[in-house]
Each structure stands twice: as structure tokens, then as C-alpha cells.
Amino acid sequence: MSDQYNSPMDQNEFMKRMKAIASDLWGGVMPVATTEAPAAAEPAQPKPAVKETEKPGTEIKNLWKTADESIDWTDALSHSTPADGLTSLKMWSFYHKHAEKVLAGDLDAYTEVLQKANPLGELTDYAENISMRAMSASKLESTFICKAGYMEKNRKLYLSAMGLRIARDLLACLPVEEVTVKGEYAGETVFTATYPRLQLLHRNFMFVDPVELSAECGAEFKGI
């Protein structure tokens, strides 16, 4: 039996019969395997631009809400290396060197610290010029030349925001009791306020109205 199925003639006959059966099943057309082309991928949609989060201090409406970290002059006197983990070794060495004179109210030491620390450096974009000086062991004074663009928008808010921020930064820099801030515009003094340290203590500046607080500190506005 096995010899019969292995003969060439029988195999040819078997293949013919299989083709005939397939022809009956598919109507004379043999199926052809096809592979569909993959659908074209949709173009990637551009991601919306990420809007930068506004940080307090970047605009006039937030200017007074932040301030420099206070320098602990007693700590600077006691330690030759940074004790706060934030100040650079170079800057701390400067503080340590001047701490004794600063705590004694030495005006020359005050002036050197103001020049080196430059506590009002972040505010130069908001004024044509800013100056600061030590009036006494307990008082500093700063004068800023107003920018016309800010004066044209909301001058009372601008003047108060600048006054309060300047006072906060200077009080953080040196152990004085008060800071007087003056604003000048077109050659005239248009703003004057004296900010006592005690009046600014324990304030949540995120919720402070700078115009009201400046008024509490005796602010005078000219031409408003």
C-alpha cells in the first residue's frame, strides 16, 4: 500500500484532485494573501506653550511681597563660617569681619556693607536710579528716581510698592530701627515715607495693601 502512494503518478493525480476541490470552493479564483498598508499616522499636535508662573516680586503688583533674607549680625560675629547654610563663604567672611562694627552702629561699616551686599540690586528695573545711605546708627535713607511708565499706570501703587520693598530689604540688611524712602519724578519729590522696623514686624506681606501700610507709616504723595 505504501509503495502505491509514493509513486510519482499517484502524487501528480493527488495534486490535480486537490486543485479541483479548491477551484470548486473558491469559484475558480484562488485567494491571495494581502497585507494592508498601515494607516498614515496623524501628525503630532504641537504642545501648547507652557505659561511661565509669575513669581512674587516680578511685577509691581507683587513687588512688596518678597524681600531679602535678614542678616543675623550676632550670628556673623560668633561664627567664622556660614551658620545659615545659605550664605557663601566669601560673603560670610565679609559679614564676620564687619559684624562687630556693624553692631556698634559704625556708619563707615554700614556704608561698606551697603556697597558690598547691594540689597537693592533686584529693584534696578523699576527705577531710573536708586541710592542709599546711612543717616545714623538707627536710620537708613533711600531715594529712587521714578520710571515714567510706572508713574503713568498707577503711581500711588508704584510709589508705595517701591517704598515698602526698599524698606524691607534695607531693614533685612542692617540692624537699624527705621528706613526713610523718597521717590523723585521730574525733579520733584513725589513720595516720602518712613518705615519703622516695629511697624513691619509680624506682617503677612502676601495680604498687605502697600498703599494702606505706607499711609500708616506717614506716607506723603505729591501730585496725586
Side-chain angles (χ1 to χ4, degrees), residues 42-210:
E42 294 184 3
Q45 296 297 322
K47 294 182 179 180
V50 178
K51 185 178 181 180
E52 293 185 0
T53 303
E54 182 182 286
K55 298 180 181 179
T58 58
E59 292 188 1
I60 291 299
K61 65 181 181 181
N62 291 317
L63 197 60
W64 67 92
K65 296 179 182 180
T66 58
D68 293 340
E69 292 291 331
S70 295
I71 301 172
D72 188 332
W73 288 101
T74 302
D75 211 22
L77 178 63
S78 304
H79 301 87
S80 58
T81 56
D84 59 5
L86 300 173
T87 308
S88 68
L89 179 59
K90 182 178 180 180
M91 203 65 195
W92 188 270
S93 297
F94 174 82
Y95 294 156
H96 180 69
K97 177 182 177 182
H98 290 77
E100 186 173 357
K101 289 185 177 181
V102 166
L103 291 172
D106 186 284
L107 299 189
D108 289 335
Y110 277 15
T111 300
E112 288 187 52
V113 170
L114 291 174
Q115 292 174 345
K116 181 71 173 179
N118 191 24
L120 305 183
E122 293 183 359
L123 302 180
T124 54
D125 288 340
Y126 305 98
E128 298 294 347
N129 182 62
I130 305 178
S131 62
M132 49 191 170
R133 59 176 177 163
M135 303 297 291
S136 68
S138 61
K139 182 177 181 178
L140 300 179
E141 181 178 286
S142 175
T143 300
F144 66 97
I145 309 301
C146 304
K147 279 195 170 183
Y150 291 117
M151 290 292 284
E152 292 169 359
K153 294 178 181 178
N154 188 337
R155 64 173 56 192
K156 203 165 189 177
L157 174 62
Y158 166 61
L159 294 170
S160 300
M162 284 290 289
L164 184 52
R165 174 62 183 271
I166 288 172
R168 292 189 67 196
D169 283 346
L170 292 181
L171 289 170
C173 184
L174 287 167
V176 295
E177 296 176 7
E178 62 183 22
V179 174
T180 294
V181 182
K182 297 180 180 180
E184 295 184 356
Y185 184 62
E188 296 185 6
T189 300
V190 294
F191 173 81
T192 304
T194 297
Y195 299 88
R197 181 183 294 275
L198 290 177
Q199 200 152 347
L200 301 188
L201 288 177
H202 312 302
R203 297 270 189 168
N204 186 341
F205 287 95
M206 293 298 293
F207 302 100
V208 162
D209 182 329

